[in-house]
Amino acid sequence: MHRYRIISIVLFLSLSWSCEDVIDINLNDAHTQLVIVGEVNNRTNRQQVTISRTVAFDRDRPFDPVSGADVHVSSGSGGVFHFIEQTPGIYIANNFRGRENERYELRVQLGGEVFTAVSTMPTLVVADSIGTALRNIFGEEEKLITLKFQDPPYIPNYYRYLWSVNGTPFEMVHVAQDKFNDGRYVSEDLIDFDLKLVAGDLVTVQMQCIDKATFDFWNAVQTTNPGTAAPANPPSVFGEGALGYFSACAVSEISTVVQ
Amino acid sequence: MSVELLGKLHFFLSVVLIGLSSSTWGQPTYTISGYIRDAHTGETLVGTSLRLKAEPAIGTHTNHYGFYSLTLVGGPHVLVVSHVGYESHETTVSLSEDKRVDIDLSSGELLDEVVVSQPAINEQVRSPQMGVARVDVNEIKHVPVLMGEKDVLKTIQLLPGVLAGGEGSSNFFVRGGAGDQNLILLDEAMVYNASHLFGFFSTFNSDAVKDVNLYKGGMPAQYGGRLASVLDISMLDGNKRRVGMEGGIGLIASRLKMDGPIAGGRGSFMLSGRRTYADLFLKFADDESINNSRLYFYDLNAKANYRINDRNTLFISGYFGRDVMGYASLFGFGWGNATATLRWNHVLNSRLFSNTSFIYSNFNYHVNIDNNDLNFAIASRILNYNVKQDFQFFQSDRSTWRFGVNLLRQEISPANIDAGANSSVNSLRLDSRKGMELAGYLSHEWKPTDRLSVVYGLRANNFLLLGPGMFYGYDADGDVLDGRRYERGDVVQYYFNLEPRLSMSYQLHRNNSVKLSYNRNVQHLHQLTNSTSSLPTDAWVMSSNNIKPQMADQAAIGYYQNFSDDRYEFSVESYYKRMQNQIDYRNTADLQANEHIEAELLYGIGRAYGAELLLKKREGQLNGWLSYTLSRSERRFDDINQGNWFAARQDRTHDVSAVAMYQLSPAWNISATFVYSTGNAVTFPSGKYSVDGRTLWYYTERNGYRMPDYHRLDLGATWESNVSKRFKSSWTFGIYNAYNRKNAYIIDFRENEHNPNITEAYRIALFGIIPSVTWNFKF
């Protein structure tokens, strides 16, 4: 985390000299790759698996749905749940709710190929308070949301935070782990530099307790920055054949009005 | 090693070596030896050539400490002593016994109007050493640089085979090697992080620098520890004749140096300091958070020497530099190097020279965070103690031996976290790692015929990784296989390597020669960085049960030609290098505060090859050089890029530098530098996809793309005036990036602000046109 702070300072310093402009770059049209994203949560009866393909960089829409896959999830306690393609590429099961500490296996069959992944839902950790905090970041007063919770000691925990501001769809803020604060009473600051919070905004935070593989996926995404020596695709639980992840996550939501 | 033991060893060696060499020729021979110094300052001169006027093939040159020794048949001889920038000097000696002759050379500061013949300045043709570049600090005085801070590291980037590490950066890459494969020595002490402010300035204050030698290949056997290059920098000893001061005030930094004699000229001292003051301007800012910020660096160089008698001289030198960055009391970040070297030069007899060095070197950084309930400190350190004993035996005018031993103890304390009592983070403590390296070498410079000369040698290197601590083994996926606790003094891992070195030249005519070289180098210290610029917070690891020593074998061939009475030098060198046990990282490797950091590493091989051309005009009103490098550097790892070869990040196909300095009048000197290079290898996405509402980039190939071409023109002008006989003043004006080229520093990709479905590439250019002015004085 300190590294990013340092990098941001360097970038800040450099930017005071530098200039930025949009340019044309010729990128190869690579062969496409399958992308599978599955999620099972403990909050609703609706679970979703998305199947798509990568598209060329200059295409308008980044989502190229893949239809006709056979998708199901089986649970460690013996349940098998089929997913039905509701809109192209979006597969839904409306008949089960995930349970903490349960092991789930996703199986996607597409033509002759089968992709599987396993995820065990972590124990739910719930924030006990939420509020607005003010921080001075490089001379600018920024409003941010702070969550407080007790991290369970002696086990690695991984968290994914999403928020919805004034009813917009949930967007991921960041992922975090307890590598440096295992077992502590944690205050987690949530901030998006592209989104300025103002007093009166209604912010709903979704706190997901995720497994390590899902953390690794999103952590790879969030730590890739222009200074990364060798940016690469985030690690996939499906191996070489497909990008993506399968996350069984324990979810809670908590809201506040920005002060 | 105790002093008594050293004394015995010295005696033993003198007896053996004298026995070995005397009366091998029929005629009686005698040895002339001594020091060569600058007449004005008493500063010893390194690499000064001494040749017989009648027979220029016979000769020698001064060593690192300005000492020479030449064994000749008895009788009268005329010796020509020459050094770049000095008037050649002729000395007549009549040898009927061993003689000690110290020679003072006058510097050629006013030589522009005088035609000087320099008959023996064809060292580059004659010397058996290849792949070496010597930078004369006076020579680089006029080279224009960023913000007017003259900088040896930025000047060597203009030489063939040396690539700049990015816009304005003092990092450099030699012959396809990585940044951590350069051995950077300041008065023999290792400098781990040779830059300030994240690379924009080097740690070497050129006021304090005497001599810079860069070995790109065929490294002599006395050097070891890194694969790609040795950059050997010596500090000035200080004026032995009178006290002097010099300094400068520039846009971002000021410098002050003082030197002078001690003990009535038996010794001298030099003190030099530099500090930037960008942060002083921050104080004027209205904004409290900005004027509370700290951002500066400073350097201190100090050196003193004392001549005990004709045979013994002591030197003590040190460097201390620090970068400081901070924001009120919330955030503090500091890092820096400290080195100290104690040396004893001992002339055992006219032909046997000894140097004993005790060296200390330390690099550390710390971070302090104190923000509400988040308060902790991070600290990390690399520390080494190094003892070196080197002997140089001048057997005859055709044969010089060097041999010695080197004991290096290195300790790496990885980043530890100390959390405050009420902090929301935990303290974290990782085992430090201790390593011991014992190396011995023997090297022989030999001239079997008038045309052929050879330096060959062997370095034997023992590396021991020592306890205490927990050491783990990992499987191919990076999962822990086993762990074992070692106690203090236990040997965890032992490596023994032999490193053969060879460099030879065959002189075709007086003005041209061909050279060959081969070297094997082994490296036990590895810097782990997964960002494009190396940061002070990068982790360092030693060879271990998991990490095998990096190894490189390099073969090179070259052709050297001097033109027009040695006024022009031309050389072309071509090399092929094979590297083993190269290090890269797993996807999403966690390189910070990670007990299992070695599990994140991948091992592969590398190859680099290229050709380097240099045309240099070394004297006259107009001088400078033109350099061109054609090169390729590739790596192969089983788990990266589907196991295919890929271009290393520092791979750059074409690289051209032109440096010109013109003495317009006695007062005015103008200069220009132009650089052009094709782009570095870089990884760009070849597609995109959407996950949970986010657009992610799809990468298919490591370093499969190229950055755009880079080019830049820098201009400089210096106006010198003598205010009085003693007080000199000069103004240096510079323009960096004179035609304001927007060279891409970073190219990144983003969603269009207005339509998130459209993705676009954008470029960040770091420095546009930057003028600078510096006022320098000297008295």
Side-chain angles (χ1 to χ4, degrees):
Chain A
M1 62 182 164
H2 320 296
R3 174 176 285 247
Y4 310 125
R5 200 182 280 261
I6 291 157
I7 288 169
S8 61
I9 288 168
V10 177
L11 286 178
F12 169 75
L13 293 172
S14 341
L15 290 177
S16 51
W17 290 95
S18 62
C19 69
E20 188 186 302
D21 53 359
V22 173
I23 52 168
D24 275 328
I25 295 256
N26 248 333
L27 297 172
N28 304 330
D29 285 346
H31 64 95
T32 62
Q33 172 86 312
L34 197 65
V35 183
I36 303 171
V37 177
E39 201 174 285
V40 168
N41 71 68
N42 64 335
R43 205 178 144 75
T44 63
N45 274 329
R46 187 178 186 275
Q47 316 299 346
Q48 178 174 318
V49 173
T50 309
I51 306 176
S52 63
R53 286 193 173 280
T54 62
V55 300
F57 197 81
D58 52 9
R59 276 269 291 273
D60 274 358
R61 241 169 79 85
F63 187 68
D64 178 21
V66 172
S67 295
D70 177 45
V71 180
H72 65 254
V73 164
S74 46
S75 72
S77 47
V80 177
F81 309 100
H82 282 275
F83 284 63
I84 293 154
E85 190 173 6
Q86 210 162 62
T87 55
I90 312 243
Y91 299 77
I92 301 288
N94 272 320
N95 55 350
F96 77 105
R97 184 188 290 253
R99 284 203 304 256
E100 291 171 55
N101 304 313
E102 179 85 271
R103 178 179 184 276
Y104 294 93
E105 181 172 347
L106 169 68
R107 187 174 187 282
V108 172
Q109 186 167 1
L110 189 66
E113 278 190 289
V114 175
F115 302 92
T116 60
V118 168
S119 177
T120 300
M121 189 183 293
T123 309
L124 183 67
V125 178
V126 180
D128 54 31
S129 69
I130 184 170
T132 309
L134 266 182
R135 292 263 192 283
N136 187 314
I137 295 163
F138 297 129
E140 298 242 345
E141 289 274 298
E142 298 276 357
K143 286 192 165 147
L144 44 82
I145 301 296
T146 298
L147 286 187
K148 292 191 188 253
F149 63 91
Q150 177 62 48
D151 180 77
Y154 309 119
I155 51 163
N157 293 86
Y158 306 95
Y159 306 100
R160 180 169 179 238
Y161 300 96
L162 300 90
W163 72 14
S164 154
V165 180
N166 300 323
T168 56
F170 276 99
E171 260 185 58
M172 184 179 118
V173 184
H174 67 251
V175 290
Q177 60 175 328
D178 63 355
K179 176 176 168 183
F180 296 106
N181 52 16
D182 180 40
R184 292 282 181 150
Y185 187 66
V186 176
S187 345
E188 191 73 30
D189 287 345
L190 304 183
I191 188 163
D192 176 353
F193 287 99
D194 295 331
L195 185 101
K196 214 165 174 76
L197 295 175
V198 292
D201 281 346
L202 172 68
V203 178
T204 304
V205 173
Q206 188 179 99
M207 180 172 169
Q208 296 186 346
C209 301
I210 55 175
D211 66 358
K212 181 172 189 302
T214 308
F215 171 79
D216 285 343
F217 181 94
W218 284 114
N219 190 43
V221 171
Q222 77 182 11
T223 55
T224 299
N225 62 50
T228 304
N233 299 320
S236 167
V237 285
F238 302 104
E240 295 275 294
L243 298 164
Y245 62 88
F246 173 53
S247 171
C249 52
V251 178
S252 63
E253 284 184 11
I254 184 166
S255 295
T256 186
V257 174
V258 175
Q259 300 297 306
Chain B
M1 227 181 282
S2 75
V3 174
E4 193 190 340
L5 193 69
L6 273 177
K8 278 184 185 165
L9 187 64
H10 283 185
F11 177 74
F12 171 75
L13 280 165
S14 349
V15 172
V16 170
L17 291 171
I18 300 303
L20 188 89
S21 61
S22 56
S23 66
T24 35
W25 318 107
Q27 283 171 286
T29 59
Y30 304 101
T31 303
I32 169 173
S33 65
Y35 287 91
I36 297 182
R37 300 191 178 90
D38 178 302
H40 299 297
T41 64
E43 191 81 38
T44 54
L45 296 175
V46 179
T48 308
S49 140
L50 293 94
R51 307 217 157 266
L52 288 190
K53 193 176 188 183
E55 222 179 321
I58 295 180
T60 185
H61 44 84
T62 56
N63 70 9
H64 230 79
Y65 304 94
F67 180 80
Y68 75 94
S69 167
L70 185 59
T71 299
L72 301 165
V73 293
H77 297 282
V78 180
L79 275 172
V80 181
V81 185
S82 47
H83 191 102
V84 183
Y86 287 81
E87 285 182 72
S88 287
H89 177 94
E90 289 188 11
T91 303
T92 309
V93 283
S94 192
L95 282 182
S96 55
E97 58 186 340
D98 286 356
K99 256 190 184 158
R100 169 75 181 247
V101 180
D102 293 341
I103 299 165
D104 287 350
L105 282 191
S106 295
S107 70
E109 271 179 25
L110 302 165
L111 291 185
D112 295 320
E113 302 88 46
V114 189
V115 181
V116 214
S117 64
Q118 290 175 302
I121 308 282
N122 61 346
E123 280 302 313
Q124 83 133 1
V125 170
R126 206 185 278 275
S127 157
Q129 185 63 49
M130 78 177 289
V132 65
R134 186 154 170 269
V135 177
D136 193 307
V137 177
N138 288 319
E139 204 175 358
I140 68 168
K141 194 164 66 173
H142 299 297
V143 178
V145 284
L146 179 63
M147 309 214 218
E149 285 296 302
K150 41 179 185 172
D151 197 320
V152 290
L153 293 191
K154 286 182 189 165
T155 306
I156 64 162
Q157 295 172 358
L158 300 168
L159 297 171
V162 186
L163 303 182
E167 180 81 80
S169 171
S170 60
N171 295 332
F172 62 99
F173 304 108
V174 178
R175 290 190 170 172
D180 74 336
Q181 294 174 351
N182 301 316
L183 177 65
I184 301 179
L185 301 173
L186 180 63
D187 272 356
E188 294 187 76
M190 247 181 249
V191 177
Y192 291 98
N193 191 314
S195 67
H196 288 298
L197 284 180
F198 305 103
F200 292 124
F201 303 96
S202 87
T203 52
F204 306 111
N205 176 353
S206 56
D207 278 357
V209 171
K210 170 180 183 167
D211 188 57
V212 179
N213 278 289
L214 175 73
Y215 296 89
K216 302 179 286 186
M219 290 85 173
Q222 65 263 30
Y223 296 110
R226 298 291 186 280
L227 294 196
S229 77
V230 178
L231 181 67
D232 191 357
I233 300 176
S234 318
M235 281 192 234
L236 280 167
D237 293 329
N239 197 321
K240 280 199 172 67
R241 307 277 190 266
R242 65 177 183 84
V243 176
M245 292 271 265
E246 67 177 271
I249 296 173
L251 281 187
I252 63 146
S254 279
R255 318 175 317 270
L256 189 65
K257 184 180 97 173
M258 186 178 169
D259 62 349
I262 47 178
R266 293 187 74 86
S268 62
F269 74 94
M270 186 275 298
L271 266 175
S272 172
R274 172 172 70 155
R275 190 197 192 275
T276 59
Y277 33 68
D279 58 320
L280 299 183
F281 297 112
L282 300 178
K283 297 262 182 286
F284 297 113
D286 292 333
D287 191 314
E288 199 179 311
S289 66
I290 292 178
N291 64 31
N292 267 330
S293 299
R294 297 180 298 283
L295 172 68
Y296 63 90
F297 69 78
Y298 62 90
D299 281 324
L300 283 172
N301 290 79
K303 191 164 178 174
N305 66 83
Y306 180 73
R307 188 167 54 86
I308 301 164
N309 53 38
D310 269 358
R311 289 171 169 267
N312 294 290
T313 310
L314 283 178
F315 298 81
I316 181 158
S317 55
Y319 166 84
F320 187 81
R322 210 135 184 97
D323 281 63
V324 177
M325 186 178 246
Y327 172 66
S329 60
L330 298 179
F331 168 68
F333 179 27
W335 70 96
N337 288 285
T339 72
T341 311
L342 175 67
R343 287 188 281 199
W344 171 36
N345 279 186
H346 180 47
V347 180
L348 280 113
N349 60 51
S350 58
R351 288 196 280 170
L352 184 57
F353 182 91
S354 151
N355 177 62
T356 312
S357 300
F358 299 91
I359 306 156
Y360 161 88
S361 175
N362 179 344
F363 172 77
N364 64 45
Y365 75 84
H366 66 83
V367 178
N368 290 302
I369 305 274
D370 189 357
N371 190 357
N372 302 331
D373 54 350
L374 192 65
N375 63 83
F376 60 89
I378 302 175
S380 165
R381 185 181 71 178
I382 314 176
L383 177 69
N384 81 46
Y385 296 100
N386 195 349
V387 184
K388 276 183 181 171
Q389 174 57 51
D390 298 294
F391 292 101
Q392 203 169 357
F393 174 59
F394 302 89
Q395 185 187 12
S396 71
D397 67 296
R398 291 176 178 274
S399 168
T400 303
W401 298 82
R402 291 190 72 138
F403 49 95
V405 289
N406 175 198
L407 182 67
L408 169 70
R409 183 188 179 279
Q410 223 158 189
E411 181 175 343
I412 300 174
S413 310
N416 282 323
I417 301 176
D418 275 312
N422 306 314
S423 181
S424 59
V425 299
N426 297 320
S427 292
L428 178 82
R429 210 145 268 287
L430 297 177
D431 287 339
S432 45
R433 292 290 189 236
K434 293 182 185 68
M436 187 81 93
E437 234 175 304
L438 175 65
Y441 71 88
L442 176 70
S443 173
H444 185 202
E445 182 168 346
W446 182 41
K447 208 166 167 17
T449 75
D450 280 356
R451 286 168 180 261
L452 182 68
S453 44
V454 191
V455 199
Y456 62 94
L458 185 68
R459 187 176 176 87
N461 183 298
N462 300 270
F463 174 83
L464 297 97
L465 181 68
L466 301 172
M470 272 304 281
F471 291 82
Y472 298 94
Y474 304 97
D475 65 12
D477 295 327
D479 295 322
V480 177
L481 273 182
D482 52 6
R484 187 177 153 194
R485 177 161 293 283
Y486 288 84
E487 298 309 320
R488 175 173 297 276
D490 286 353
V491 176
V492 181
Q493 186 69 39
Y494 172 69
Y495 290 106
F496 175 74
N497 292 95
L498 286 175
E499 304 173 45
R501 311 284 173 84
L502 167 73
S503 187
M504 59 195 287
S505 93
Y506 184 77
Q507 202 167 343
L508 302 166
H509 301 98
R510 187 202 168 274
N511 288 330
N512 56 0
S513 65
V514 287
K515 298 188 191 184
L516 283 173
S517 75
Y518 164 77
N519 57 283
R520 164 170 282 198
N521 291 40
V522 172
Q523 177 165 343
H524 289 294
L525 184 73
H526 322 282
Q527 184 179 14
L528 306 183
T529 176
N530 53 7
S531 63
T532 50
S533 54
S534 66
L535 293 174
T537 51
D538 286 338
W540 295 78
V541 291
M542 281 185 270
S543 298
S544 71
N545 48 325
N546 299 300
I547 304 169
K548 293 196 180 70
Q550 295 187 60
M551 205 185 288
D553 291 280
Q554 184 188 190
I557 182 165
Y559 174 78
Y560 304 79
Q561 168 97 50
N562 282 15
F563 300 98
S564 310
D565 294 333
D566 297 320
R567 280 199 295 272
Y568 292 89
E569 286 181 0
F570 170 78
S571 66
V572 52
E573 291 189 13
S574 179
Y575 63 92
Y576 185 89
K577 185 153 63 177
R578 204 179 60 180
M579 290 165 272
Q580 296 170 59
N581 306 324
Q582 297 300 287
I583 296 174
D584 212 302
Y585 318 102
R586 288 179 196 284
N587 238 339
T588 73
D590 180 4
L591 302 180
Q592 293 294 311
N594 182 355
E595 187 184 10
H596 297 290
I597 196 166
E598 293 183 7
E600 305 281 14
L601 308 183
L602 299 172
Y603 308 100
I605 56 173
R607 63 184 181 200
Y609 44 93
E612 299 161 0
L613 275 76
L614 178 68
L615 176 66
K616 187 170 182 178
K617 183 168 186 292
R618 45 189 303 165
E619 56 179 282
Q621 272 185 303
L622 175 71
N623 58 67
W625 67 88
L626 190 63
S627 111
Y628 170 70
T629 309
L630 173 71
S631 64
R632 192 111 182 89
S633 179
E634 296 169 308
R635 302 289 181 272
R636 195 172 79 182
F637 290 77
D638 288 343
D639 296 327
I640 298 173
N641 215 38
Q642 291 93 44
N644 296 318
W645 284 100
F646 61 91
R649 270 198 61 82
Q650 63 270 25
D651 180 58
R652 202 177 297 167
T653 311
H654 304 282
D655 191 277
V656 178
S657 308
V659 178
M661 289 161 278
Y662 186 73
Q663 193 72 40
L664 212 54
S665 68
W668 279 98
N669 184 293
I670 54 172
S671 58
T673 303
F674 177 73
V675 291
Y676 171 87
S677 65
T678 52
N680 276 15
V682 65
T683 306
F684 286 153
S686 294
K688 59 185 178 182
Y689 56 105
S690 173
V691 176
D692 211 10
R694 273 206 178 197
T695 303
L696 306 183
W697 312 139
Y698 173 46
Y699 298 98
T700 53
E701 201 183 347
R702 169 75 70 98
N703 292 345
Y705 289 89
R706 292 280 160 176
M707 291 293 278
D709 291 358
Y710 180 101
H711 50 92
R712 194 187 80 228
L713 175 71
D714 302 337
L715 300 172
T718 306
W719 182 67
E720 277 180 78
S721 69
N722 294 344
V723 177
S724 70
K725 202 169 174 213
R726 285 203 53 177
F727 189 87
K728 286 179 189 166
S729 143
S730 75
W731 288 88
T732 301
F733 306 93
I735 300 175
Y736 182 85
N737 197 4
Y739 54 87
N740 199 21
R741 155 99 178 162
K742 286 183 185 169
N743 285 303
Y745 182 64
I746 283 171
I747 289 181
D748 198 21
F749 303 86
R750 66 184 172 201
E751 292 172 356
N752 183 289
E753 221 180 310
H754 308 293
N755 181 356
N757 282 329
I758 295 175
T759 34
E760 62 190 19
Y762 67 101
R763 126 187 107 182
I764 295 178
L766 207 50
F767 298 117
I769 181 166
I770 296 185
S772 68
V773 57
T774 310
W775 177 65
N776 299 298
F777 65 89
K778 189 175 182 176
F779 60 84

